[in-house]
Amino acid sequence: MTVTDHWVQVPLDHAAENGETIRVYAREVSTDESKPWLLYLQGGPGGKSPRPATLSGWLAEAVKHFRVLLLDQRGTGLSTPANRQSLALRGDAAAQAHYLGFFRADSIVRDAELLRNQLGIDKWSTLGQSYGGFCTLTYLSLFPQSLERCLVTGGLASLTADADTVYRATYQRMAERNEEYFSWYPRDREVLERIYTHVRTFHDERLPDGRLVTVPLVQMLGQYLGGNTRVHSLHHVLEEAFVDTPGGPRLSDTFLGVLHEQASRAANPLYAVMHESIYAQGAATRWAAERVLAEFDQFNPEAPCPLLTGEMVYRWYFTEDPALRPLEETARLLAEHEGFGPLYDLEVLAGNTVPVAAAVYHDDVYVDRELSLDTAGKVRGLQTWVTKGFHHDGIADEGAYIVKRLLDMTNGQVPAAEPETKPVQG
């Protein structure tokens, strides 16, 4: 493969003339420069584009048909960074929150448009994973004339639901996924309960960054449950949870290391800072995941053996995570902000003429199936493939098949049969 770097200077505020600019980066991967272009929109928010070391998975399939452009969305990767270190240059929390108000999907899409024009591309196709699908719907709303086709994997956002509605749905999906997991590995529930009891009574278990291990911190292991096959890695984490020491059983360094990987936002702080703002269109989100948690007793950290949580972001992240602590007040201001504008144009989407194919994962714990299908019904011509064969990160395991199937759908071809999948028995 040939890899080419591209940069573009973009306005911080696309509505302001002659204002501040920031830099946005994209990595081109191709095997044939005569092929049409595909823009890859990464999940997140706050996720940089993939860093391919080999040509494999979904990318190997994509380059058969396209020159692929891997976009580092503003604030991530090699684009002008936005983290606890760089944001301090903006001034106080109010200045930082104002700055980050320009880091939502509408700005990301306008950045992509400037890059498309700079490269002299008439039209391109897009592939949006998770949050990248949210950005795709914004792209279809703002610049449909620039799009040849759109592929979406696990990323049909609700066009109208507020953050509370989204989290009510995802808590329910997470509860179902917890039960499914523990039906495979019933002894793991006992191990988890033992971990909870241990951290409630032994108050000196700490992560490598010095944080005290708490029940809510352990619940973050539920991020494994959103995985297609990654879910089964949770079993291996739990089976190595304890080690015997002269002072009695302690949480092992292996377990603490994995827990730290799940809990730290050092590599992608915008995921936490901007997370609920991706649902905001007018009303403030006001820590929706935390408020809605009160409706689901089975996730309450005070419960005897609370269920594992998923992508939810809570205020305590910003008091405990060293990478987020300097951004606590900034995050509060964003959570209370009432002025975020609309991200989607329902009238434009209702008249859409761009071919769109979306994989909707039947049991997705992060992007609810029913909300996705409601969106699909509001976008003219959008084809859905609803499947129980994959979960939210299916593209990581069967990416070549998934991309090929969606591409066939936009070409009017009959997709191949799904690969056979069988549940792992504990």
Side-chain angles (χ1 to χ4, degrees):
M1 60 182 175
T2 300
V3 178
T4 307
D5 297 325
H6 298 282
W7 280 272
V8 60
Q9 288 293 129
V10 301
L12 171 64
D13 177 2
H14 282 272
E17 294 185 11
N18 303 317
E20 179 183 354
T21 64
I22 58 176
R23 191 166 75 158
V24 168
Y25 169 80
R27 189 186 314 268
E28 176 191 346
V29 179
S30 67
T31 58
D32 182 349
E33 293 187 358
S34 68
K35 292 177 179 175
W37 289 83
L38 174 79
L39 174 69
Y40 180 70
L41 295 167
Q42 170 67 23
K48 64 185 179 183
S49 70
R51 267 48 181 166
T54 61
L55 200 54
S56 59
W58 72 264
L59 185 58
E61 179 61 33
V63 297
K64 293 178 183 178
H65 312 276
F66 302 100
R67 297 169 72 174
V68 178
L69 203 60
L70 304 171
L71 177 68
D72 279 355
Q73 298 167 14
R74 53 170 56 196
T76 74
L78 295 180
S79 296
T80 300
N83 54 41
R84 66 176 177 85
Q85 297 164 307
S86 66
L87 286 171
L89 296 169
R90 309 302 309 185
D92 63 12
Q96 294 176 24
H98 176 75
Y99 178 74
L100 291 177
F102 300 111
F103 279 65
R104 298 203 310 152
D106 50 346
S107 295
I108 293 168
V109 165
R110 288 185 167 92
D111 293 345
E113 272 295 279
L114 288 180
L115 182 59
R116 183 186 63 81
N117 286 318
Q118 178 174 291
L119 294 174
I121 301 168
D122 180 33
K123 290 187 176 185
W124 56 14
S125 299
T126 64
L127 169 60
Q129 157 65 13
S130 188
Y131 178 60
F134 293 35
C135 294
T136 301
L137 292 167
T138 301
Y139 214 144
L140 285 164
S141 297
L142 297 178
F143 304 104
Q145 71 279 3
S146 302
L147 301 170
E148 189 71 38
R149 82 186 77 227
C150 297
L151 314 178
V152 176
T153 56
L156 284 186
S158 174
L159 300 176
T160 56
D162 61 14
D164 291 41
T165 301
V166 169
Y167 281 108
R168 285 190 185 96
T170 53
Y171 272 119
Q172 182 59 45
R173 296 286 181 215
M174 278 300 299
E176 294 166 359
R177 187 62 161 163
N178 270 263
E179 291 308 309
E180 181 179 39
Y181 175 82
F182 290 119
S183 74
W184 294 333
Y185 303 106
R187 292 188 184 89
D188 284 4
R189 194 188 295 270
E190 299 172 15
V191 174
L192 184 61
E193 187 170 7
R194 182 186 174 194
I195 295 170
Y196 288 150
T197 300
H198 179 78
V199 300
R200 283 166 172 158
T201 57
F202 190 93
H203 302 297
D204 196 31
E205 295 285 12
R206 296 187 179 272
L207 297 185
D209 61 13
R211 271 186 283 175
L212 184 70
V213 178
T214 62
V215 169
L217 202 63
V218 174
Q219 287 179 272
M220 291 181 71
L221 290 173
Q223 292 169 97
Y224 277 97
L225 301 184
N228 189 51
T229 57
R230 184 173 179 262
V231 58
H232 300 291
S233 298
L234 177 58
H235 172 67
H236 304 304
V237 173
L238 293 175
E239 69 183 357
E240 295 185 84
F242 286 95
V243 62
D244 290 331
T245 76
R250 296 286 300 270
L251 294 178
S252 70
D253 284 346
T254 300
F255 177 84
L256 294 172
V258 172
L259 185 56
H260 179 251
E261 290 175 2
Q262 301 305 303
S264 176
R265 293 298 175 199
N268 58 344
L270 288 183
Y271 180 87
V273 177
M274 300 296 298
H275 200 272
E276 291 194 356
S277 74
I278 68 177
Y279 304 112
Q281 299 186 88
T285 59
R286 298 184 297 111
W287 304 105
E290 185 170 292
R291 288 185 294 99
V292 175
L293 172 66
E295 301 173 19
F296 293 86
D297 291 341
Q298 64 269 50
F299 289 96
N300 189 326
E302 301 301 319
C305 188
L307 298 183
L308 300 171
T309 54
E311 65 166 7
M312 297 77 172
V313 173
Y314 306 106
R315 273 179 289 193
W316 62 264
Y317 286 12
F318 295 89
T319 60
E320 296 189 11
D321 187 340
L324 297 178
R325 199 174 294 134
L327 303 175
E328 180 181 5
E329 179 64 8
T330 302
R332 183 190 68 78
L333 292 171
L334 288 169
E336 295 175 358
H337 184 62
E338 300 277 356
F340 286 126
L343 294 168
Y344 314 111
D345 188 321
L346 273 64
E347 184 176 348
V348 170
L349 293 174
N352 174 62
T353 59
V354 179
V356 184
V360 176
Y361 304 127
H362 187 274
D363 301 310
D364 197 325
V365 299
Y366 296 149
V367 181
D368 179 71
R369 175 186 74 249
E370 295 304 324
L371 293 178
S372 292
L373 293 178
D374 179 70
T375 292
K378 295 175 180 176
V379 181
R380 181 174 178 268
L382 190 154
Q383 302 178 73
T384 57
W385 163 41
V386 182
T387 175
K388 291 186 176 182
F390 305 99
H391 277 264
H392 191 71
D393 69 346
I395 195 172
D397 293 324
E398 292 286 351
Y401 169 77
I402 291 171
V403 168
K404 176 67 164 58
R405 184 181 179 108
L406 295 178
L407 189 58
D408 285 348
M409 290 169 66
T410 61
N411 287 329
Q413 300 173 5
V414 178
E418 288 190 45
E420 182 179 0
T421 58
K422 297 179 180 178
V424 172
Q425 299 299 319

